[in-house]
Amino acid sequence: MFNIDFTGEFAAFFVFSAIMISGAVLMISLDKVVHMVISMAAVFLGLAGMFVLLEAEFVAFVQVLIYAGAVSILMIFGIMMTKHHGGGRERAKPLHETLAAVSALSLFGILFYAIRTTAFPEPQPFQAGEDNTMAIGELLYTGYVIPFELLSVLLTVAFIGAIVLAKKEAD
Amino acid sequence: MLPSYLTVAAILFCIGLYGALVKRNAIIVLLSLELMLNAVNLNLVAFSKYGVVPSLTGQIFSLFTITVAAAEAAIGVAILFALFRLRGTVNVDEFDKMRR
Amino acid sequence: MEMYSQAAWLIPLFPLAAFLVLTALGRSFRRAGVLIGTLGSLAAFVLSLFIVIDRLDANTVDYNYAFDWMKIGDYTLRIGFEVTNLTAMMLVVVTLVSFLVNVYSAGYMKNDERITVFYGYVSLFTFSMLGLVLSDNLLSLYIFWELVGVCSFLLVGFWYAKPKARAAAKKAFIVTRIGDAGLLLGILLLFWYMPGHALDFTTIQSVFDGQSGAITTGITTLIALLIFLGAVGKSGQFPLHVWLPDAMEGPTPISALIHAATMVAAGVFLIARTYDIFQDSAAAMETVAYIGGFTAIFAATIALAQNDIKRILAYSTVSQLGYMMMALGLGSLTGGVFHLFTHAFFKALLFLGAGSIIHAVHTQNIHEMGGLGAKMKVTAWTFAIGALALSGIPPLSGFWSKDMILTAAFETNPLLFFVGLAAAFCTALYMSRLFFLVFTGKPGAASSGAQESPVTMTLPLVVLAVPAVAAGFVETPWNGWFGSWLSGEAEAAHGSGVAIVASIAVGLLGIYVGWLVYGKGSVSRTALADRVPWLVKLLERSYYVDELYAVFVVKPLKLLGAILIVIDEYVIGGLVRLTGIATVSAGRLAARLQNGQVQTYSLAAVIGFVIIVIALVGRRFLP
């Protein structure tokens, strides 16, 4: 099954996935909220590294910029602006947690089984383009220009909405 | 290599799912959602390189996803602020207005 | 020459139309309602009279018309009407009494608020009774049989504000139902065993008459007894007679129409109509004869001790119906039907006369009356005619028919002959008691302000007095015209000097004893009661039949009902409640899941998703 040559890509992949999975597990298991966000940032960065491995430099750049930068900062702001009973124990809901763990595990089992049993055909060689960023830019402004513009509108609406929601109500 | 990436993505997704289901703190729930979206992104980019017909479309899609996720995070935090002002807490299990 | 017989189907339609119009009109048209009801029955009467006159010719044949009602597979149910001399006679009796009762009720029910409803019911009853008479098969006869039962129920309970009337109506309906169930079973058996499943009277006659052996004697007896059970219920024979005296709670014209002249005679008519079945079974004939004879003496003795004028007449009716049954059982079809014919007139006359008295004195207790003869001359004279006819005094109609029955008994069954004589004696005694107590002697407590009833009420009395006197002459010991007309066979003159003399003697003796005790007063009224008080008490309480039924039938049934209620409450109801509780608790469980927490909902969604995927994918691992 795991008959993979021990190449440089594999070594890097192993390191990055180790970072990501441990970050994710820490995010779940840590007590303090800020620590959770920081461990999450590690996951984001590890993912960016994965993207580089996958020859998606632009996506990796965006990942670092938006997730590791903007979203993490946003979450930290959120934590700072709301009150947290430092380290308050989670309310015990054993049945709920067990069920959630079981269903998450079985979902993983299903996915893993599907991944393992699928015979992926040998891919054609990947053309990342001379300049990955330029290639993506060209695609965005030619084939995907309408989704791109729609997404811009969505973003604008979302941010205006966020401002309106977060603003203190005018008395 | 593709199965390895997919497996890592599945692990991340399931951890995110578990977090979204059990965490009390709304911010952590939001973070877990981001984790699940990231797992999807990893899948998209992995298929864009190792798929049957490799192309940049996967990367484009992951860009779109990241954008939408950013918007979602912003809106989510804004809603959290509003709720916090209203109820004085960010614990998900205290938001049970739907019951009544 | 059978033009009128062909139109016989029109006869029931007149009262039916009257009923429909009356129902549509509602209660406000009081005078018009009376007029419509009376006109409906008058039209029916006139047409019936034409039919009979048309058929007086000796060699008329029965007229039958039927059409296919429904086809079920190979079986075709035909339904229609049949006019024989017997049905023609019944038509005249029913329509005449019905018409006179309509006229009479105009006076008797004048101040009743629901007189239009009353007339509607009477019209409906007349329609049903005529339909019963005209039916050419047992099935439609059964339908009309039940319809007259319903009308009887409605009319007995007409004054439903009175609790006793309600109880009597229920009793009449339920007790006759027992008999009706028997009749239905008999019809079903007949349907099962008859060749071709035919139920019409013509086929029944040919099957049973020809001794074809198509049906074994045992089955024949069973069928005959079941049919007789129906007749027992309807005609108030022992042991199902208990409803008839209670039915006197209804308005008096109804007692005259339904419970004296027509409906209660339907049992006799039914047996006469299916007489061929009975003739095939000696056992059934004997049963009919003995039940009839026993009922005759049984009810006559009860009538001796009753104090309610209508109850006396009711027991008298039961007794006379017993006479008819006895005659039929003894093989004298003519005797039974002849007595039915004469009895209808003089008993209707007596009931209407009693109604006239009650109308005047507002009581039914004969001890509170007295001296009414001088004040109510028409009523007194017509009542006397009726009483004498009932007592069997020649030459009034009752004598001839009763004599015919006694002759038949004398020739075949001496025991029943003496029973009949004893019953005749009792009849004469209680009628003279009734007459002397009511019309002669000192005025009673209630008779002070009494005066003669209006002409609408006395006119029917006078009209009925005519056939009460003369109807007997159609069949005398030396002239068997009625019998031969009825059966289509030349019947020899019959008669027995012994029977005639004995019959006259007991009649006169009864009247003489009655006169001695209640008229002249030379024998103390309480003489018997002083000697054997238990006997008088026994008679007053009608041999405690009602009480016996209460203990042996009603109580166990009520116990059964109580048990069933318990079962219903705790077993059936428990199941129902269990269903409810299960649903509610399932709802509670679901409600607990619905705790308003998004995470619980999404967990449920994830679990569901996992289950669906496993279910879809897991199939491939199954063998």
Side-chain angles (χ1 to χ4, degrees), chain C residues 63-72 74-82 134-144 191 196-204:
Chain C
Y63 178 77
N64 178 276
Y65 174 81
F67 58 92
D68 292 355
W69 189 19
M70 52 173 109
K71 281 188 162 68
I72 307 158
D74 295 335
Y75 176 67
T76 307
L77 183 59
R78 289 173 68 78
I79 205 161
F81 70 95
E82 186 174 32
L134 279 171
S135 293
D136 77 332
N137 66 62
L138 270 173
L139 193 67
S140 58
L141 182 140
Y142 182 75
I143 295 170
F144 286 114
F191 175 80
H197 300 305
L199 281 179
D200 57 300
F201 294 119
T202 321
T203 318
I204 290 175

Side-chain angles (χ1 to χ4, degrees), chain B residues 20-21 23 93 95-96 98, chain C residues 595-597 599 601-603:
Chain B
L21 285 181
K23 285 294 162 183
D93 54 3
F95 301 145
D96 55 357
M98 276 191 354
Chain C
N595 55 3
Q597 306 224 344
Q599 285 177 324
Y601 299 166
S602 23
L603 177 62

Side-chain angles (χ1 to χ4, degrees), chain A residues 22-78:
Chain A
S22 52
V25 171
L26 279 177
M27 192 272 282
I28 294 298
S29 55
L30 280 176
D31 269 353
K32 283 202 165 179
V33 190
V34 181
H35 297 171
M36 293 177 178
V37 178
I38 287 167
S39 61
M40 199 59 198
V43 178
F44 292 149
L45 287 174
L47 191 62
M50 283 258 189
F51 287 157
V52 173
L53 273 184
L54 288 165
E55 298 182 58
E57 291 88 0
F58 183 69
V59 182
F61 175 67
V62 170
Q63 171 80 10
V64 172
L65 206 63
I66 291 183
Y67 272 114
V71 172
S72 301
I73 301 299
L74 189 66
M75 291 300 167
I76 287 170
F77 266 118

Side-chain angles (χ1 to χ4, degrees), chain C residues 121 127 139 160 187 210 228 351 406 408 436 468 474 479 597 620:
Chain C
Y121 288 168
F127 156 72
L139 193 67
Y160 52 74
I187 293 173
F228 180 58
F351 264 113
L406 288 174
F436 290 127
V474 296
N479 176 10
Q597 306 224 344
R620 68 174 66 175

